[in-house]
Amino acid sequence: MQFLYDNLTATVIALMTTLILLSIQSRATQNSVAEVSRNRMGELTQTFASWLERDIERMGENFEEGERAPFDNPVYTEGSGDTDITTQFTFYRDSTASSGDEYRIATRYEVTQKGTRTVDGTTKPVYQLTRTKRRKEMGGSWESWSGSKGVSPSSLGYFQIDLLDKDASPVPNPNGNADQVHSVRVRFSVVSPFQNAQTFPRATHVGSVLLVRDQSDASVINTPSTMGDCKGGGWKQLTDGTGTPFGCAAACMYMASGGRKGSDNCTGGKGRP
């Protein structure tokens, strides 16, 4: 009888020990999964935010004063929780090819629903942003929109772009009131790719405000078109639109000669101010 009792006691202790070890292992696994999820969510958020900022900072690049607004009005639809989702936004910049041909480049963001995720016990839609481009030669016609030139994570909780005035209030009909647009506000969230009880936070929320590129004469760099434009001993400093000089005087010869060795004479060394 004592033998059976001892065996039963040993079995119970062994089972309890096993359960404790399993519980510890389960908690460690949950913590590990939650950490991987947080890290992945952070990576997706940082990557998306970085290329969004690089993209939008070029809006209006090389535009001259008095040209059309470098953006179209954002298109919105109502999302969950009365949050407006920007489903389309198109903006423009100008570029000169190595051949000397000038192009206008349009970049378009299109946001579509990609399914649903459960966040804090509530099922919510998630979205993905697709980036496309097209261009036209100045005076010509637009080419077709390209295939995808970049996509966001397929787990955006929301995506919203607003064009703001100097008081940070949304501008009504910004395309028709471009002179009132002072900055661009971008807001989005990324939902964690997988979740368990230990996952926190369940989504990141990002907001960024970028100033709209100045299109006045003060932002235009005056560069020489021929070497004869360089005065005073064959050199002159380049100036911005206000006449303020900057950089190296030798850069005038460098620019006027199509980049042939003129900047070797800069006091800071080759190609330096």
Side-chain angles (χ1 to χ4, degrees):
M1 186 69 180
Q2 185 64 37
F3 174 76
L4 293 175
Y5 178 77
D6 290 343
N7 281 343
L8 181 60
T9 301
T11 301
V12 171
I13 293 173
L15 288 173
M16 292 297 295
T17 302
T18 301
L19 288 173
I20 292 172
L21 292 175
L22 287 174
S23 176
I24 293 172
Q25 180 63 37
S26 176
R27 178 59 64 89
T29 300
Q30 288 184 6
N31 289 339
S32 178
V33 169
E35 182 177 2
V36 170
S37 179
R38 284 194 299 270
N39 291 342
R40 180 59 177 159
M41 183 171 58
E43 291 171 4
L44 293 172
T45 302
Q46 183 60 47
T47 300
F48 183 46
S50 295
W51 70 253
L52 268 180
E53 288 189 1
R54 287 196 301 268
D55 243 10
I56 294 176
E57 282 175 348
R58 301 190 70 182
M59 184 173 69
E61 186 177 72
N62 298 320
F63 268 43
E64 296 181 2
E65 186 178 21
E67 290 199 71
R68 60 150 292 163
F71 45 77
D72 293 338
N73 288 341
V75 179
Y76 300 99
T77 189
E78 187 175 333
S80 64
D82 296 326
T83 300
D84 285 339
I85 305 296
T86 301
T87 56
Q88 184 173 289
F89 180 59
T90 305
F91 57 96
Y92 305 88
R93 64 183 175 89
D94 287 349
S95 178
T96 303
S98 57
S99 62
D101 295 332
E102 295 183 348
Y103 291 92
R104 177 147 296 172
I105 298 172
T107 301
R108 173 172 289 176
Y109 295 158
E110 293 183 296
V111 178
T112 55
Q113 186 175 337
K114 300 300 288 186
T116 58
R117 291 279 178 85
T118 300
V119 181
D120 295 328
T122 303
T123 300
K124 297 183 178 181
V126 289
Y127 304 88
Q128 184 173 50
L129 180 149
T130 302
R131 173 176 175 263
T132 56
K133 287 188 173 184
R134 68 176 181 176
R135 71 175 189 173
K136 69 173 181 177
E137 192 169 354
M138 292 303 186
S141 301
W142 284 107
E143 298 175 356
S144 300
W145 287 103
S146 68
S148 171
K149 293 292 185 180
V151 296
S152 73
S154 58
S155 54
L156 296 179
Y158 58 84
F159 179 80
Q160 192 175 69
I161 284 182
D162 297 299
L163 298 164
L164 309 179
D165 62 19
K166 63 182 181 179
D167 298 320
S169 298
V171 176
N173 183 24
N175 180 265
N177 296 291
D179 58 329
Q180 299 178 27
V181 176
H182 181 264
S183 57
V184 182
R185 181 176 63 198
V186 182
R187 294 181 289 184
F188 67 90
S189 73
V190 176
V191 180
S192 60
F194 34 86
Q195 302 177 9
N196 59 25
Q198 305 303 318
T199 303
F200 184 83
R202 311 242 172 187
T204 58
H205 299 268
V206 177
S208 180
V209 176
L210 307 172
L211 296 180
V212 173
R213 185 179 294 270
D214 181 11
Q215 296 168 298
S216 67
D217 289 338
S219 67
V220 178
I221 298 173
N222 294 323
T223 58
S225 57
T226 67
M227 293 174 63
D229 294 331
C230 299
K231 311 296 183 184
W235 312 107
K236 79 167 184 179
Q237 287 186 309
L238 302 182
T239 64
D240 64 18
T242 66
T244 304
F246 68 96
C248 169
C252 179
M253 185 69 77
Y254 180 76
M255 295 291 293
S257 60
R260 293 192 296 271
K261 304 298 182 182
S263 64
D264 288 1
N265 297 315
C266 291
T267 57
K270 181 178 179 180
R272 299 185 178 185

